[in-house]
């Protein structure tokens, strides 16, 4: 059959090759992961048109490019005011402190105080009291912020602070706090409280960002008092309410120079979301000494902070001599973090991994169970905590270094989410956290428990584990 459009066929062929070559060059110049690079290059040559479209949508890290541009435009004057409060660490953890300083480009700060608050029953009253005392500013970021009775109490407190003249900024995640409809955003808008949804859009060409979530939980009042940790805002975190699926958690009240770093983390996210720069004395007042605990904020996300929290975990575990305690709601470490834990166990370090027997995501539990045998083989002790489901994220090494915050030990948290953790070089804090973790060592997992699963369950768990990066 005669082809009446030879020019069109030639043009399409040239376009296919051009697209495949363009994707290949971009992948080679920007991607570090060889398996991901091979996959993108392969699909671009097998299906040039479809492959190029998928790569443009899901393969190009626009988040990092946007972050680099915004960070170059903003300066946050408050950072310079804390230089004289830098803390040096001696002894076992000195190399870790130096590495984290270079990695994060944030100083380890002295003269801080910390209070551990378990569950919403203890944390919410302290947070609300802080908001009620606000005179100049309140910055609030939460992955989940529900429009239930707990959420309404926060909105009312924020409205009263605004009426007193305080500057209020609220940032919620575009997925966690409702994608198609966000009741809390509507409630905040009714009070004329400035609020934005992080990376939220219903436009099809913005859909690639649906997989990138702001999982940070931050509250800063007057630039002097801060809260961070794993606690979202919702009724399920109030254990005394006895909700259908109660969630235990751990949050931290911070005072001292460290609050500047917490404010800076929020300011970056706020600027990233809406372009407004938060600066000046109402957000970055002169730091005040509050205690003697050295601390540093560590942020991570698919921007300029790629994998920094995971690198901190890797280095902390590598330096362990005696014990490592890990408490996490979701345990799906990537290959290098799993290897580091197993190698530590093999060299004689006591590794205790505490996970919930049943979390609030059944698929994650299936994937986790499929990958626990290597940890048992290496000598790690895995414990299944009793209900209620505990959402705390805690890591303690040798009763001297603690790493706490919003990051779970899974690929989503460590590669895709925007997370915030806090490292602390203090034996008293580490001892208290270690004691809390130990109270949840209820049922030790054994090889027999794993082997006794039916073949059907093993197949199910292994199949779900294949989707680990997306859970």
């Amino acid at each position: 059959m005669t082809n009446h459009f030879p020019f069109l066929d030639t043009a399409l062929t040239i376009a296919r090759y051009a697209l495949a070559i363009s994707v290949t060059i971009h992948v080679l110049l920007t991607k570090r992961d060889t398996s991901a690079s091979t996959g993108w290059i392969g699909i671009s040559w097998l299906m040039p048109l479809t492959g190029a479209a998928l790569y443009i949508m899901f393969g190009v890290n626009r988040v990092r490019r946007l972050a680099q541009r915004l960070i170059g435009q903003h300066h946050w004057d408050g950072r310079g005011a804390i230089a004289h409060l830098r803390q040096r660490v001696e002894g076992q953890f000195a190399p870790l402190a130096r590495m984290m300083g270079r990695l994060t480009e944030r100083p380890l700060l002295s003269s801080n105080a910390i209070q551990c608050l378990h569950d919403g029953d203890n944390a919410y009253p302290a947070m609300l009291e802080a908001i009620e005392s606000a005179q100049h500013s309140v910055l609030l970021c939460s992955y989940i912020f529900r429009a239930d009775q707990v959420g309404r109490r926060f909105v009312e407190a924020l409205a009263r602070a605004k009426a007193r003249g305080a500057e209020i900024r609220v940032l919620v995640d575009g997925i966690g706090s409702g994608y198609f409809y966000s009741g809390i955003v509507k409630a905040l808008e009714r009070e004329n409280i400035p609020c934005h949804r992080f990376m939220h859009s219903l436009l099809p060409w913005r859909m690639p960002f649906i997989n990138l979530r702001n999982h940070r939980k931050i509250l800063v009042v007057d630039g002097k008092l801060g809260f961070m940790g794993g606690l979202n805002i919702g009724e399920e975190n109030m254990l005394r309410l006895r909700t259908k699926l109660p969630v235990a958690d751990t949050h931290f009240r911070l005072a001292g120079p460290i609050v500047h770093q917490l404010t800076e983390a929020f300011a970056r996210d706020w600027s990233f979301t809406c372009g407004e720069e938060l600066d000046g004395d109402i957000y970055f007042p002169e730091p005040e000494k509050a205690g003697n605990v050295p601390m540093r904020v560590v942020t991570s996300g698919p921007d300029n902070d790629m994998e920094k929290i995971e690198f901190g975990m890797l280095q902390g575990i590598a330096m362990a001599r005696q014990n490592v305690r890990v408490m996490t709601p979701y345990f799906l470490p990537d290959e290098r973090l799993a290897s580091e834990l197993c190698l530590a166990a093999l060299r004689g370090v006591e590794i205790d991994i505490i996970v919930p027997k049943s979390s609030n995501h059944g698929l994650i539990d299936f994937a986790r169970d499929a990958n626990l045998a290597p940890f048992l083989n290496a000598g790690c002790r895995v414990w299944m905590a009793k209900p209620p489901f505990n959402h705390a994220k805690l890591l303690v090494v040798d009763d001297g270094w603690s790493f706490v915050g919003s990051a779970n030990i899974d690929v989503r948290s460590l590669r895709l989410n925007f997370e915030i953790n806090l490292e602390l070089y203090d034996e008293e804090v580490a001892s208290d956290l270690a004691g809390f973790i130990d109270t949840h060592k209820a049922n030790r997992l054994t090889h027999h428990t794993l082997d006794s699963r039916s073949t059907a369950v093993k197949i199910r768990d292994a199949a779900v584990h294949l989707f680990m990066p997306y859970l």
Side-chain angles (χ1 to χ4, degrees):
M1 184 175 179
T2 303
N3 186 350
H4 297 289
F5 303 101
F7 174 76
L8 181 59
D9 288 344
T10 302
L12 287 173
T13 300
I14 294 173
R16 290 190 181 99
Y17 278 106
L19 288 171
I21 292 171
S22 298
V23 170
T24 300
I25 292 173
H26 193 276
V27 168
L28 294 174
L29 292 176
T30 61
K31 300 295 180 186
R32 291 184 301 164
D33 189 299
T34 54
S35 59
S37 299
T38 302
W40 283 120
I41 291 173
I43 196 173
S44 71
W45 284 96
L46 289 172
M47 300 182 296
L49 298 177
T50 303
L54 290 173
Y55 181 71
I56 291 171
M57 290 181 65
F58 297 101
V60 179
N61 193 338
R62 300 178 185 83
V63 174
R64 175 176 289 180
R65 288 161 55 191
L66 176 59
Q68 289 172 338
R69 185 171 72 249
L70 289 174
I71 295 305
Q73 295 172 353
H74 299 284
H75 49 87
W76 291 286
D77 290 337
R79 290 179 293 177
I82 56 177
H84 67 287
L85 294 165
R86 293 172 183 264
Q87 174 80 38
R88 288 181 60 86
V89 173
E90 304 294 340
Q92 174 186 353
F93 296 109
L96 174 60
R98 286 195 299 270
M99 186 281 293
M100 293 298 286
R102 294 171 181 171
L103 178 69
T104 64
E105 298 181 339
R106 292 188 178 101
L108 182 67
L109 298 176
S110 64
S111 307
N112 301 291
I114 183 170
Q115 180 184 4
C116 186
L117 302 168
H118 295 299
D119 311 322
D121 305 69
N122 295 302
Y124 291 155
M127 295 167 71
L128 289 166
E129 180 182 0
I131 296 172
E132 295 288 3
S133 71
Q135 298 299 317
H136 306 294
S137 63
V138 178
L139 308 177
L140 176 60
C141 174
S142 187
Y143 174 65
I144 294 174
F145 192 163
R146 301 199 189 280
D148 54 21
Q149 62 171 302
V150 170
R152 288 193 296 271
R153 288 177 62 192
F154 274 86
V155 172
E156 291 166 0
L158 290 169
R160 286 191 290 269
K162 182 176 182 293
R164 293 193 302 272
E167 291 289 334
I168 315 295
R169 300 292 186 274
V170 180
L171 184 64
V172 298
D173 184 72
I175 301 287
S177 293
Y179 184 64
F180 293 105
Y181 176 81
S182 178
I184 198 64
V185 170
K186 295 297 183 183
L188 291 164
E189 288 176 346
R190 285 194 293 270
E191 300 291 343
N192 293 316
I193 294 174
C195 174
H196 283 279
R197 301 167 75 180
F198 188 85
M199 297 189 75
H200 176 267
S201 176
L202 297 176
L203 301 174
W205 53 87
R206 297 278 297 180
M207 286 300 178
F209 295 138
I210 197 172
N211 204 35
L212 307 178
R213 305 172 187 174
N214 191 321
H215 197 239
R216 296 167 182 164
K217 293 89 176 175
I218 299 171
L219 172 62
V220 179
V221 176
D222 290 340
K224 297 181 179 181
L225 184 61
F227 295 81
M228 61 85 66
L231 189 69
N232 291 297
I233 299 176
E235 291 177 358
E236 65 271 22
N237 298 107
M238 295 282 289
L239 299 188
R240 65 177 178 79
L241 295 181
R242 301 182 182 276
T243 57
K244 184 178 181 180
L245 295 172
V247 179
D249 214 325
T250 301
H251 223 51
F252 300 90
R253 180 185 186 273
L254 308 177
I258 192 65
V259 178
H260 272 231
Q261 291 187 356
L262 201 61
T263 304
E264 180 192 335
F266 181 95
R268 287 175 181 265
D269 287 347
W270 185 261
S271 175
F272 181 92
T273 304
C274 66
E276 181 189 8
E277 180 178 358
L278 303 181
D279 214 337
D281 291 342
I282 66 169
Y283 301 112
F284 294 97
E286 185 69 23
E288 298 177 356
K289 296 182 179 181
N292 57 6
V293 181
M295 304 180 189
R296 175 168 32 223
V297 163
V298 184
T299 51
S300 70
D303 54 1
N304 293 335
D305 290 333
M306 183 76 78
E307 301 173 333
K308 289 182 180 179
I309 287 179
E310 183 177 9
F311 288 160
M313 292 179 177
L314 288 167
Q315 186 69 3
I317 295 167
M319 299 198 65
R321 298 174 183 173
Q322 299 173 352
N323 53 68
V324 174
R325 293 177 175 86
V326 177
M327 185 171 183
T328 180
Y330 316 115
F331 186 66
L332 290 172
D334 63 8
E335 190 64 31
R336 60 190 180 190
L337 189 51
S339 297
E340 195 65 67
L341 284 166
C342 291
L343 289 172
L346 289 170
R347 69 172 185 268
V349 177
E350 292 184 354
I351 308 292
D352 286 298
I353 302 167
I354 295 88
V355 296
K357 183 177 181 180
S358 299
S359 75
N360 57 346
H361 293 292
L363 290 178
I364 293 179
D365 295 342
F366 298 158
R368 175 200 68 195
D369 293 348
N371 198 41
L372 290 177
F375 297 96
L376 299 182
N377 294 338
C380 299
R381 298 183 298 202
V382 180
W383 306 85
M384 297 291 180
K386 296 179 180 178
F389 164 57
N390 201 301
H391 192 248
K393 307 96 165 43
L394 310 172
L395 171 62
V396 180
V397 175
D398 287 353
D399 294 333
W401 181 74
S402 308
F403 204 37
V404 302
S406 70
N408 304 307
I409 298 184
D410 59 21
V411 175
R412 167 169 292 285
S413 265
L414 301 178
R415 300 285 178 84
L416 297 176
N417 286 351
F418 292 80
E419 304 281 2
I420 185 166
N421 267 29
L422 183 74
E423 60 162 350
L424 306 102
Y425 297 78
D426 186 87
E427 292 183 358
E428 183 177 349
V429 172
S431 178
D432 289 344
L433 289 174
F436 173 77
I437 293 172
D438 287 345
T439 62
H440 291 78
K441 295 194 302 188
N443 301 305
R444 186 172 175 180
L445 185 72
T446 65
H447 285 93
H448 175 72
T449 306
L450 290 178
D451 293 341
S452 63
R453 295 177 299 162
S454 67
T455 302
V457 169
K458 291 179 181 178
I459 293 173
R460 177 202 65 189
D461 293 351
V464 175
H465 188 262
L466 295 175
F467 298 90
M468 183 178 72
Y470 307 101
L471 296 175

